[in-house]
Amino acid sequence: MKAQEYALVILAAGIGSRFGGGVKQLKQVGPSGEIIMDYSIHDAIQAGFRKIVFIIRKDIEEDFREVIGSRMEALCRPLGVEIAYAFQELEDLPAAYACPAERKKPWGTGHALLACRDVLREPFVVINADDYYGKKAFGSLLEFLRQLPENSRGRYCMAGFRLGNTLSDYGGVTRGICMTDGLGNLQQVRETRNIVKTPGGAAAGTGEPLDLNSCVSMNMWGFTPDILPVLEERFQDFLAENLREPQSEFLLPVLIDRMLAENAASVQMLPTDDQWFGMTFREDIPAVVEAFRELVRQGVYEAGLYDDL
């Protein structure tokens, strides 16, 4: 019997159609020219994932394969790691709906994940293309998925990061503030906008003070395949209410928060003390570059990133 496999799904449809130095997901941040996705893929393979799914758009497919995809296929082939693609498109809607002409904004992370419905059959972890999560989270989420009984339904997990490890020195960020019970079960995800550092810690855009030790979601979730038909059903509900709202988005944290409120799912929050890195603002880039150099100096990564696989 073939051993259960696990996939890493990377939300990369937000990459611009013009590839180059201005696209933050493709900014070289490692000492040998690595981009953030390189580190996520490395850490996932090292943890035991054997499939990588890139969610992109059709209009960037050729460039994406040239810049990233072909390189990853060549790297992963001898390691026995599969590379697959899924495509998020504005027109990918249920038969009863047509995309309004005024709609330019993507339908959101929930819709992006729904694009994987034909390529995912195994449990998986989903991440953002432009976030660095650290090694610990990949191992923790994979271990949770491995311990689930076969054909488990409605039992998911997420990586919980310390708020103080996810802030920028250069402006406000949006984070999902997480509330859990005494056993680490997620009770609520509160999307909080424009969180900034303050002399006393942090504060939301409303002025509400926030504890730097608060647990936040960075859109790193562990799911079983049963989430996909749920996404399909819930997306239809979303469209019924929001089709004509050009800025509305079908977002994973909002969906999960609603499912928790309805007791339709359980989510185990798996805390990590790893430092998150991201490039929300252009001014963040030098600090991210230096952080990866320091990780190499500390021996967390080899100078040739994939040499230890």
Side-chain angles (χ1 to χ4, degrees):
M1 179 177 177
K2 186 178 179 181
Q4 175 70 49
E5 294 187 349
Y6 301 86
L8 174 68
V9 177
I10 302 179
L11 298 167
I15 291 179
S17 58
R18 294 182 60 191
F19 279 65
V23 180
K24 66 179 181 177
Q25 292 95 331
L26 303 179
K27 185 69 178 177
Q28 295 181 349
V29 294
S32 299
E34 296 88 355
I35 62 176
I36 286 182
M37 262 188 283
D38 277 302
Y39 290 93
S40 294
I41 292 169
H42 169 277
D43 293 346
I45 293 173
Q46 194 173 63
F49 291 82
R50 286 297 173 265
K51 183 175 181 178
I52 310 295
V53 180
F54 293 113
I55 303 176
I56 58 174
R57 303 188 315 275
K58 280 287 186 182
D59 66 294
I60 66 169
E61 180 182 8
E62 183 177 350
D63 288 337
F64 188 93
R65 288 180 183 270
E66 179 181 344
V67 175
I68 304 170
S70 296
R71 176 165 62 87
M72 286 301 159
E73 289 167 18
L75 170 76
C76 290
R77 193 175 299 114
L79 298 173
V81 176
E82 177 186 354
I83 298 292
Y85 296 86
F87 300 95
Q88 183 183 21
E89 300 293 333
L90 286 176
E91 296 77 16
D92 182 14
L93 300 177
Y97 295 93
C99 183
E102 66 273 17
R103 180 81 191 194
K104 307 300 179 186
K105 191 180 185 69
W107 292 106
T109 51
H111 178 251
L113 187 54
L114 182 56
C116 295
R117 57 191 177 273
D118 293 330
V119 298
L120 279 176
R121 297 290 181 270
E122 57 277 285
F124 61 93
V125 166
V126 59
I127 63 170
N128 294 331
D130 54 351
D131 287 328
Y132 170 77
Y133 296 94
K135 290 190 173 188
K136 180 180 178 182
F138 287 97
S140 297
L141 271 64
L142 181 58
E143 184 61 24
F144 176 90
L145 294 175
R146 280 176 168 161
Q147 291 182 2
L148 291 175
E150 189 175 359
N151 299 320
S152 174
R153 303 180 66 83
R155 294 181 60 189
Y156 312 131
C157 62
M158 59 154 283
F161 290 80
R162 179 180 173 272
L163 174 61
N165 286 343
T166 72
L167 300 179
S168 172
D169 290 325
Y170 301 102
V173 297
T174 297
R175 299 288 180 256
I177 305 294
C178 298
M179 276 63 79
T180 61
D181 63 16
L183 299 176
N185 296 299
L186 189 64
Q187 301 292 294
Q188 183 182 18
V189 184
R190 181 164 57 93
E191 283 287 285
T192 307
R193 299 184 180 277
N194 198 29
I195 302 175
V196 297
K197 291 183 177 180
T198 65
T206 58
E208 174 194 0
L210 299 172
D211 184 351
L212 289 176
N213 291 315
S214 299
C215 179
V216 299
S217 164
M218 296 303 298
N219 222 29
M220 187 179 197
W221 303 92
F223 294 117
T224 45
D226 65 288
I227 190 66
L228 297 170
V230 173
L231 284 168
E232 196 157 20
E233 178 182 342
R234 301 280 180 144
F235 185 51
Q236 294 203 50
D237 295 340
F238 167 86
L239 290 173
E241 297 178 6
N242 299 282
L243 180 66
R244 296 295 174 183
E245 297 294 331
Q247 298 302 309
S248 60
E249 292 183 274
F250 181 57
L251 299 174
L252 280 175
V254 176
L255 168 68
I256 294 299
D257 185 60
R258 182 170 296 183
M259 292 177 69
L260 291 172
E262 297 170 358
N263 292 317
S266 66
V267 179
Q268 182 72 32
M269 194 275 289
L270 305 174
T272 175
D273 294 325
D274 280 345
Q275 178 75 42
W276 166 90
F277 305 141
M279 295 179 290
T280 307
F281 304 98
R282 181 171 295 277
E283 294 85 353
D284 291 322
I285 294 174
V288 172
V289 171
E290 179 54 34
F292 281 115
R293 286 177 179 166
E294 181 59 27
L295 289 172
V296 171
R297 286 194 288 265
Q298 293 174 3
V300 177
Y301 296 107
E302 300 290 335
L305 177 61
Y306 298 102
D307 289 350
D308 58 353
L309 294 180

